[in-house]
Amino acid sequence: MTSSVVAEEHWAKKGPVSLFIRRKKLKAAAAAGESRPPVILVHGSSTSALPTFDLAVPGRPDYSFMEWLALRGWDVWAMDHEGYGRSTLTDGNSDIASGVEDLRAAAGLIAEKTGAKAFHLYGLSSGALRAAAFAQAAPEMTARLVLDAFVWTGEGSPTLIKRREGIAQFLASNKRAIDRDYIKSIFLRDGPEATDPEVAEACAKAQVALGSSVPTGTYLDMTTRLPIVDPGLIAAPTMIIRGEHDTIATIEDLLGFFQRLPSNDKRFAVLPGLAHVATLGVKRHLLWNATAEFFLAGSGDAS
């Protein structure tokens, strides 16, 4: 962490569940206040918030999306969903509907701490589904929305076709085992050149240090319950981002969703050289800059 950025830890309550949240912002912004909407980063199915968005890689600086956004003046929040990371480990499967309630709890805490009434959301993979479902359920709390590695109907998705082989397992247990090799395989399956191997190793090490299993709910939703989100019910300005090598959703599926979004303030981007976990890719700054620029377009200080 740079000396100009302050990090805080917070806990949101969802009934008996405690949700861990990290916040990063400039010290100057902490003192003076911030006019932009806070940014909420929403993690996916297999890696929790900090390995995804605030990763420290030995010998490889600048892999924290949170730090990068904070240095550019954003008030950035990232939460471990129920059953992930440092949040309460429950018997539930932490599906998309549960994730929406997690985000409601986080939004309430962030509103209390900042006075903000609406938030920019960035979601990755099943985190994009969580973020989109939240935007659908709570339009008044959603300022702008970025959906990265998103899936709508799942039609033609190579990754989901393969993943459906595990449906019986996802139904039988609310947890699935993970290890370092499994986490690293997420980076390798779509294009190994997209990610530095040492970064994949660092992410895997950070994730398994938090536990040897993760919930099955988002995998079950993505293999048996799509579509979960109705694009016609998302009012917020929305950007859809797809890494060039990502096999989670086809361009045709994403364009079908994009065309049905009612807002005229919307963008669609395919980013070269990136795969499924674009936040940690070699060319991650393409994603980071696209996201920040889209958020900035909805702020009063946009140029």
Side-chain angles (χ1 to χ4, degrees):
M1 183 176 67
T2 66
S3 59
S4 59
V5 172
V6 60
E8 301 172 354
E9 293 185 359
H10 297 271
W11 296 87
K13 295 293 290 185
K14 185 184 71 171
V17 176
S18 295
L19 300 166
F20 169 76
I21 306 176
R22 176 167 289 181
R23 179 190 195 183
K24 282 196 166 183
K25 58 183 177 179
L26 285 175
K27 289 181 179 178
E34 179 56 70
S35 60
R36 300 175 185 173
V39 172
I40 304 175
L41 305 179
V42 190
H43 72 75
S45 299
S46 298
T47 58
S48 51
L50 303 190
T52 308
F53 300 125
D54 199 23
L55 184 66
V57 183
R60 300 283 194 279
D62 194 28
Y63 270 94
S64 169
F65 192 18
M66 290 191 77
E67 187 91 358
W68 188 91
L69 286 168
L71 285 168
R72 284 150 183 81
W74 297 98
D75 185 0
V76 194
W77 303 70
M79 173 183 61
D80 287 337
H81 284 278
E82 177 183 336
Y84 286 87
R86 294 173 60 185
S87 291
T88 303
L89 304 181
T90 70
D91 293 332
N93 72 356
S94 196
D95 60 7
I96 299 300
S98 172
V100 171
E101 296 311 307
D102 294 343
L103 288 169
R104 284 188 186 275
L109 181 139
I110 297 168
E112 177 185 325
K113 297 294 182 181
T114 67
K117 296 181 179 179
F119 315 94
H120 294 330
L121 285 95
Y122 163 91
L124 172 64
S125 191
S126 64
L129 272 171
R130 291 183 180 111
F134 175 81
Q136 178 176 302
E140 74 284 358
M141 290 191 282
T142 309
R144 296 175 84 79
L145 178 66
V146 174
L147 305 177
D148 177 21
F150 180 66
V151 60
W152 179 33
T153 69
E155 184 175 353
S157 166
T159 295
L160 293 185
I161 290 170
K162 176 67 175 177
R163 192 174 294 172
R164 289 187 187 109
E165 297 173 4
I167 288 175
Q169 173 194 344
F170 309 149
L171 289 168
S173 174
N174 283 346
K175 298 289 185 290
R176 56 187 175 88
I178 59 169
D179 57 22
R180 285 164 72 165
D181 286 342
Y182 176 78
I183 299 300
K184 287 188 288 186
S185 75
I186 297 170
F187 295 92
L188 298 174
R189 70 181 182 219
D190 298 330
E193 72 284 353
T195 308
D196 185 326
E198 293 189 26
V199 174
E201 175 66 32
C203 179
K205 182 178 180 180
Q207 182 59 42
V208 299
L210 296 168
S212 59
S213 68
V214 291
T216 58
T218 56
Y219 267 32
L220 189 60
D221 280 350
M222 294 170 78
T223 53
T224 67
R225 296 173 183 158
L226 295 177
I228 291 171
V229 178
D230 181 349
L233 298 179
I234 296 180
T238 300
M239 183 174 191
I240 295 176
I241 296 177
R242 181 183 187 274
E244 175 189 5
H245 303 296
D246 195 0
T247 60
I248 196 69
T250 66
I251 290 180
E252 291 77 15
D253 188 46
L254 295 176
L255 284 174
F257 185 90
F258 178 80
Q259 290 167 350
R260 290 167 176 80
L261 290 168
S263 176
N264 288 324
D265 187 353
K266 57 185 178 181
R267 302 182 193 181
F268 189 101
V270 177
L271 301 182
L274 290 170
H276 188 63
V277 189
T279 51
L280 298 175
V282 173
K283 296 185 177 181
R284 63 199 174 281
H285 290 98
L286 293 175
L287 168 70
W288 294 4
N289 278 298
T291 299
E293 194 280 330
F294 183 68
F295 287 161
L296 196 62
S299 301
D301 56 353
S303 57

